[in-house]
Amino acid sequence: MSIRRLMLVSLIGTMTLVMCVAGWFSYRAGLQEAGEMFDAKLAHSARVLVSLVDQPLDDLTAHGPTEPVTINVWHGAAQGVGDALAFPTGHAYETKLAFQVRDDNGTLLLRSDSGPDSQIAPLTPGYRDVRIDGEQWRTFTLKAPSGRWFQAGEVSDIREELAGDIAFGTLLPLLVALPLMMVLVWLIVTWALRDLLSVTRQIEQRSPENLTPLASDRVPREVRGVVHAVDALMSRLDAALKRERRFTADAAHELRTPIAALKVHADNLATSRDGGERAESQEMLQRSVARVERLVSQMLSLSRADESAGLRASVPVDLDQVVRQQVSEYSDAAGKRGIGLELRSAPAQLVGDPIALEAMVRNLIDNAVRYSPNGGRVRVSLSDEREMMRLDVEDSGPGIPEEARERVFNRFHRELGTGVEGNGLGLAIVKNVLALHGGRVRLSSSADLGGLHVVAEMPR
């Protein structure tokens, strides 16, 4: 269900419910007020009847028992309300009122013809609710000083009719105004949601390539947070798409040369004439395959470690274990070239992405081993310095000139004259992983080994 429909149904339904509840309370209040008024009238009528009839009845009964006297009331049409029930000769509700007078023994002395012949209530003072001939009556009984009982009663539906008239009179203006209020609520809700509908149309009409922020200057305050969240999401999506496009372009560009070389070596292997050419072509083919494999692996690591992508995982990582594992994996390659691979490690744990941290350590050790000459040395040190983890990787290779130490962090940048095959991605991966973990990297010359000294620092 839409917000607009929900608001309309809720508001109109609430107004209708409130009117019904107000009508019920109005009816109950009217019934109570009518009851109090009619009770007072019954007591007043009984007292007036005592003052007017009690003394004449002494004269009437002085000569012995007589037939009860019947007072005739006016019987007219009982239709309509208000003035429609009043006539010059009487009122239509007279038939709903009755009175009786009885002596101390309960003998009927005087009655109105609008009431029953039987006793309308027990001969005890006060109010009573009784049922006579299927109708509910409200009565009041009063004992005169002479000992006679004076009883006044009325049919209870008079009170209910009056209460209904009061409630209807209260609700009638509201019921008449309800359609107008519905129209006003519809207009107000439509006007209040116009800017939200405008934002909805903006999103619906946009092309997939348009990820610019939405116009939120006239958006209601309650929805502005949603619009800003959508803008932030589109901004992240735009950055992700740009990152993927750049990765695709870089991959297409960088893989073209090694794949072409791979094809050439495969052709040479297929057309080689003797065992010597075949062995040489096979060796070159294997080297090309290894280069392509390493390039693809590094590019995937770079894509994962892109600082704009954010951490994929954030869990406790035993960095000491990661460093030891990578040193162990490169010990064979270093041993074949007579390179001494030294490890100085201490227990160190931090919260981060384990796969990204592993890629960083692997690239640092790989660069140090590949750029060190045969018989050289590589030293890997991990230490815990208060709130920072520090990883030092030193080698005895040619190092990097000071003026080139900023350039080497660019993707696919390689310094000329090193004599070592590479893709120019290792240090870019290291920088991005450290940026993801709030760390930093510094390059300098190793005082002990003479080559490059890389310092990677990360907070816990």
Side-chain angles (χ1 to χ4, degrees):
M1 180 181 291
S2 66
I3 296 178
R4 181 168 172 269
R5 183 178 301 174
L6 177 63
M7 292 180 66
L8 289 173
V9 172
S10 301
L11 291 175
I12 294 175
T14 300
M15 287 192 301
T16 304
L17 179 62
V18 168
M19 287 184 184
C20 293
V21 173
W24 185 82
F25 278 106
S26 178
Y27 174 77
R28 297 296 301 175
L31 189 61
Q32 181 179 356
E33 293 296 327
E36 294 175 356
M37 181 182 68
F38 280 106
D39 283 349
K41 187 191 71 172
L42 282 176
H44 179 71
S45 299
R47 296 184 191 282
V48 171
L49 194 61
V50 169
S51 65
L52 295 177
V53 176
D54 195 33
Q55 185 61 41
L57 284 177
D58 286 339
D59 300 335
L60 184 64
T61 59
H63 303 289
T66 61
E67 289 295 324
V69 179
T70 300
I71 305 297
N72 296 322
V73 300
W74 183 81
H75 294 266
Q79 294 181 352
V81 294
D83 293 339
L85 299 175
F87 301 90
T89 54
H91 196 281
Y93 279 173
E94 287 187 43
T95 58
K96 296 179 180 291
L97 306 175
F99 63 87
Q100 292 181 353
V101 180
R102 296 180 183 272
D103 61 15
D104 193 32
N105 296 322
T107 302
L108 182 63
L109 304 176
L110 181 69
R111 62 178 287 271
S112 63
D113 67 347
S114 58
D117 294 332
S118 59
Q119 184 174 307
I120 62 176
L123 298 179
T124 55
Y127 293 97
R128 285 294 183 92
D129 292 307
V130 296
R131 193 165 189 84
I132 304 173
D133 298 333
E135 291 184 313
Q136 192 71 25
W137 285 69
R138 178 74 167 174
T139 66
F140 179 76
T141 302
L142 179 65
K143 189 173 185 180
S146 62
R148 298 186 184 93
W149 294 94
F150 288 78
Q151 294 181 316
E154 65 181 10
V155 182
S156 297
D157 60 4
I158 300 178
R159 303 175 182 225
E160 296 176 358
E161 289 180 16
L162 180 60
D165 291 342
I166 294 174
F168 182 74
T170 303
L171 283 179
L172 182 60
L174 297 177
L175 293 175
V176 173
L178 183 60
L180 177 61
M181 286 191 290
M182 290 181 179
V183 174
L184 291 177
V185 167
W186 181 80
L187 293 175
I188 292 172
V189 170
T190 302
W191 178 81
L193 295 178
R194 70 193 190 284
D195 293 325
L196 181 59
L197 295 176
S198 175
V199 173
T200 302
R201 285 192 294 271
Q202 285 188 56
I203 298 176
E204 290 177 347
Q205 296 172 0
R206 284 197 171 198
S207 64
E209 292 78 16
N210 186 3
L211 297 176
T212 56
L214 299 171
S216 59
D217 52 337
R218 296 181 57 189
V219 174
R221 186 184 303 110
E222 293 78 6
V223 188
R224 198 167 296 162
V226 177
V227 175
H228 290 167
V230 172
D231 286 343
L233 176 61
M234 289 197 297
S235 177
R236 294 194 299 270
L237 181 59
D238 186 40
L241 290 176
K242 289 179 179 177
R243 192 166 57 247
E244 296 302 326
R245 293 190 191 103
R246 182 174 59 182
F247 176 80
T248 303
D250 290 345
H253 179 269
E254 294 300 322
L255 287 173
R256 184 181 297 114
T257 300
I259 289 177
L262 188 64
K263 183 179 179 181
V264 169
H265 295 317
D267 291 339
N268 290 339
L269 179 62
T271 59
S272 57
R273 300 178 181 178
D274 53 39
E277 291 182 0
R278 186 177 298 106
E280 182 181 0
S281 297
Q282 186 171 359
E283 181 183 358
M284 297 298 295
L285 179 61
Q286 290 175 346
R287 290 175 59 184
S288 296
V289 170
R291 181 184 176 190
V292 170
E293 180 184 11
R294 185 171 182 276
L295 176 59
V296 171
S297 175
Q298 283 193 311
M299 292 189 68
L300 292 176
S301 298
L302 181 64
S303 176
R304 179 181 179 86
D306 196 320
E307 58 182 308
S308 60
L311 289 176
R312 267 91 169 171
S314 185
V315 296
V317 178
D318 187 348
L319 193 59
D320 175 47
Q321 182 64 29
V322 173
V323 172
R324 289 181 179 277
Q325 179 181 354
Q326 294 302 316
V327 169
S328 175
E329 290 183 2
Y330 278 90
S331 59
D332 289 342
K336 291 178 180 180
R337 296 174 51 202
I339 297 175
L341 185 54
E342 178 184 352
L343 174 62
R344 299 176 182 176
S345 182
Q349 288 192 341
L350 76 161
V351 176
D353 187 335
I355 298 179
L357 291 172
E358 181 180 329
M360 177 196 71
V361 175
R362 181 172 60 251
N363 278 277
L364 285 176
I365 297 177
D366 179 74
N367 280 351
V369 171
R370 288 193 307 110
Y371 282 90
S372 292
N374 295 337
R377 294 174 58 196
V378 173
R379 179 188 300 158
V380 180
S381 305
L382 178 64
S383 58
D384 185 354
E385 299 182 354
R386 296 183 181 180
E387 296 301 320
M388 300 292 288
M389 300 294 173
R390 174 167 171 164
L391 176 63
D392 293 75
V393 179
E394 303 174 72
D395 62 62
S396 57
I400 299 176
E402 186 174 355
E403 65 274 9
R405 288 173 185 170
E406 289 298 325
R407 297 194 301 267
V408 294
F409 291 108
N410 297 331
R411 300 183 182 198
F412 304 109
H413 176 81
R414 296 187 67 251
E415 287 294 310
L416 299 177
T418 60
V420 179
E421 290 186 357
N423 304 309
L425 291 175
L427 290 178
I429 294 173
V430 171
K431 182 179 179 181
N432 285 355
V433 171
L434 289 172
L436 285 177
H437 293 80
R440 59 182 181 269
V441 58
R442 301 194 308 270
L443 303 182
S444 61
S445 297
S446 174
D448 294 338
L449 305 183
L452 182 66
H453 183 188
V454 181
V455 178
E457 293 179 317
M458 291 169 288
R460 285 182 178 275

